[in-house]
Amino acid sequence: MSTGLFIKRQKIMRKVILLLFIYAFLFGKGGAQTTTITLQEAIQMAKENSFEYKIAKNRLQGSVWRFENFKASFLPSIYINGNIPNYTRAINKITLPNGEDTFVSQNQAYSSVNLGVRQQVAFTGGTFSMSSFLNRIDVFGTQKQTRYSSTPFSISYNQDILGYNSFKWQKQIEPLQYESANRQFVSDMERIASQTVLYFFGVLSAKSKYERSKQNLANVDTLYRITKERFRLGNIDQSDLLQLKLNSLNAQKQLDQDSIDYLLSKKQFNRYLRLTDDDDREVLMHEDISFFEIPFKEAMDLARSNSQNVIDFRLQRLQAEQQVAESKAQNGLKFNINANFGITNTATSLRDILSGVENQQQISIGFSLPILDWGYAKTQKKRAEANLEMVKSEIEQKELMVEQEISLYVAQWQLQKKKMLVVRESQDIAIKNYELEKNRFLRGTITINDLNVSQQQKDYASSAYIDAIGQYWNLYYTLRRLTFYDFEKGRKL
């Protein structure tokens, strides 16, 4: 088989494969109608359907319930508990009034019920409670009897450590964590928008390359047919004819690759938006973008007041300060207090349980002071203080990084308008230049290498223009995320 025939058959096979691929790509979805989708529509869809949205929403809901749980912990709680009954039949050891131990057969049931109200006291860090007890003992056998014990009213106060109030720190930390979660959700939405921009323009870029490859192949084939006739007439060298043939083969190979890349990019885009296989949408780019001023100082002020970083920095410092306060309280002189006041009584019947009640009081103040701990308390305190200083340094460093990041993106935004004008004009010039070079080649005034260079410049300029639009939207949503502000509409996110 001759080399020319082999190349011809190879070219035919590639065309057949490409046609089958395109047919499957366009009509292999059960005859689904192709619709268009804009960038804003894709972003809105991602904010409603993507897995990232569901994760962000679930994370926010968890933070909401945590904050609701925190608020509920400072409200009075009513509880009831008890045993009805606790029956025992056994021989147990008891101590007699004279101090001797003996074994006694017991056959009895003990029942109790306790109704109470508990309230945390945020100001002091203790717990205040009121309760009412009712106990009953039923003795079975030959000496059957029933007795009641009751505490109709009892007030108690308990506090573990004097000098360290965990509730005070919680009241400062929990609202910040809740606010951080809300701002995290807003930030997640802007990240979803930025990710959608990447997928959207990935499809758009792949589609553009695919369409250019088809056009380039058609142009090369046209030039090859014309050049063959000129070669037959002796107006062109064989080397140019062979170069065009090679260009045709390379254009066919590039078209095959670009068609696959286009399909894969669409699959990724559809998966991110969670579109079904029957939902085939063509990305549609609108070039009506607008540039508005974003002053650096205003962007920094907005970031300092609105962004999630501000809340997170405050939260990190507050948590470090809490560790210092806790280490000082835990490792120094500690006091705890437990006080109770109420009335109590015992009787053989319920109607007598409130007759002749007696007062009951209890107060207990305990203390603890380490005498020799081999420097344990001191090292705990120093470690907490060192951690606080480290957090302060990290926050300062992160603030500088945020400032640098905003400075970079604002500067890029200010240059983007000029860049857009340049790439748009470059694209127009490259397209016109290619058409001129193609005509000059047909007239024989330039070589095939010159034509190839102009085609490469045209393709590069077209890709650069699409990339520049994608960069515009990426900058747009990145600045929104960093400042939590929509500069176009002049309002907070």
Side-chain angles (χ1 to χ4, degrees), residues 208 333 412 489:
S208 177
L333 179 62
Q412 289 180 348
K489 298 179 181 178

Side-chain angles (χ1 to χ4, degrees), residues 396-408:
E396 185 176 357
Q397 181 184 25
K398 290 176 181 178
E399 287 175 342
L400 289 175
M401 292 175 62
V402 170
E403 182 175 345
Q404 292 173 358
E405 188 178 19
I406 292 177
S407 177
L408 174 63

Side-chain angles (χ1 to χ4, degrees), residues 250-450:
N250 289 335
Q252 180 64 60
K253 184 172 64 175
Q254 187 64 47
L255 177 60
D256 295 342
Q257 183 62 49
D258 289 342
S259 62
I260 295 174
D261 292 342
Y262 180 35
L263 177 61
L264 292 178
S265 64
K266 287 201 68 175
K267 289 290 186 182
Q268 291 178 338
F269 179 67
N270 289 349
R271 280 198 300 268
Y272 188 73
L273 299 186
R274 300 185 67 194
L275 298 175
T276 63
D277 292 337
D278 295 332
D279 197 342
D280 183 24
R281 307 193 184 199
E282 291 292 334
V283 294
L284 181 62
M285 180 178 68
H286 290 297
E287 300 185 29
D288 53 342
I289 58 179
S290 60
F291 284 92
F292 36 86
E293 290 296 324
I294 302 181
F296 171 73
K297 185 178 183 306
E298 181 181 357
M300 278 303 307
D301 291 341
L302 289 169
R304 290 191 182 103
S305 59
N306 297 336
S307 72
Q308 180 190 356
N309 291 327
V310 176
I311 300 298
D312 288 345
F313 294 160
R314 289 170 55 191
L315 185 59
Q316 292 169 14
R317 180 165 182 164
L318 197 60
Q319 289 172 334
E321 291 174 349
Q322 179 193 17
Q323 291 177 1
V324 173
E326 186 176 9
S327 67
K328 290 180 179 179
Q330 290 286 355
N331 298 304
L333 179 62
K334 294 185 292 185
F335 288 93
N336 62 75
I337 182 171
N338 186 13
N340 174 269
F341 171 78
I343 56 176
T344 185
N345 192 22
T346 61
T348 57
S349 63
L350 283 175
R351 63 175 176 270
D352 298 329
I353 198 68
L354 295 178
S355 301
V357 294
E358 299 179 2
N359 293 333
Q360 67 170 16
Q361 300 90 24
Q362 182 214 355
I363 183 168
S364 172
I365 299 178
F367 73 93
S368 173
L369 178 64
I371 302 299
L372 180 62
D373 62 357
W374 307 104
Y376 177 80
K378 181 179 179 180
T379 56
Q380 286 285 91
K381 176 184 174 183
K382 292 297 183 181
R383 188 175 69 173
E385 291 175 345
N387 180 66
L388 175 59
E389 293 303 317
M390 181 187 68
V391 169
K392 290 180 180 178
S393 298
E394 288 179 347
I395 290 174
E396 185 176 357
Q397 181 184 25
K398 290 176 181 178
E399 287 175 342
L400 289 175
M401 292 175 62
V402 170
E403 182 175 345
Q404 292 173 358
E405 188 178 19
I406 292 177
S407 177
L408 174 63
Y409 283 111
V410 169
Q412 289 180 348
W413 174 263
Q414 292 171 348
L415 294 175
Q416 190 66 20
K417 182 177 182 180
K418 182 178 180 180
K419 182 178 180 180
M420 289 290 300
L421 295 175
V422 171
V423 295
R424 181 179 296 172
E425 185 176 1
S426 298
Q427 178 183 236
D428 295 339
I429 292 174
I431 292 173
K432 291 178 182 178
N433 182 64
Y434 174 73
E435 294 298 326
L436 292 174
E437 293 292 274
K438 184 170 65 173
N439 293 331
R440 291 176 64 190
F441 174 77
L442 293 176
R443 292 196 302 269
T445 57
I446 63 171
T447 65
I448 186 63
N449 291 331
D450 296 327

Side-chain angles (χ1 to χ4, degrees), residues 59-74 120 122 164-183 311-312 314-320 322:
R59 182 165 50 234
L60 176 63
Q61 287 178 339
S63 299
V64 169
W65 288 118
R66 171 177 173 167
F67 188 63
E68 291 297 324
N69 178 264
F70 160 73
K71 292 193 297 183
S73 67
F74 287 92
Q120 292 184 350
Y164 174 73
N165 186 350
S166 62
F167 299 153
K168 166 192 169 184
W169 291 100
Q170 288 180 17
K171 289 188 71 174
Q172 298 180 71
I173 290 174
E174 290 295 336
L176 284 178
Q177 289 182 331
Y178 178 66
E179 179 63 24
S180 176
N182 283 305
R183 298 194 184 189
I311 300 298
D312 288 345
R314 289 170 55 191
L315 185 59
Q316 292 169 14
R317 180 165 182 164
L318 197 60
Q319 289 172 334
Q322 179 193 17

Side-chain angles (χ1 to χ4, degrees), residues 1 26 49 65 104 107 114 117 138 163 221 243 263 272 279 295 314 328 353 359 378 388 409 451 458 488:
M1 182 184 296
L26 296 177
N49 300 331
W65 288 118
V104 176
N107 183 11
N114 174 26
V117 179
D138 292 289
D221 286 344
Q243 183 63 52
L263 177 61
Y272 188 73
D279 197 342
R314 289 170 55 191
K328 290 180 179 179
I353 198 68
N359 293 333
K378 181 179 179 180
L388 175 59
Y409 283 111
L451 181 62
K458 172 181 68 71
E488 184 178 19

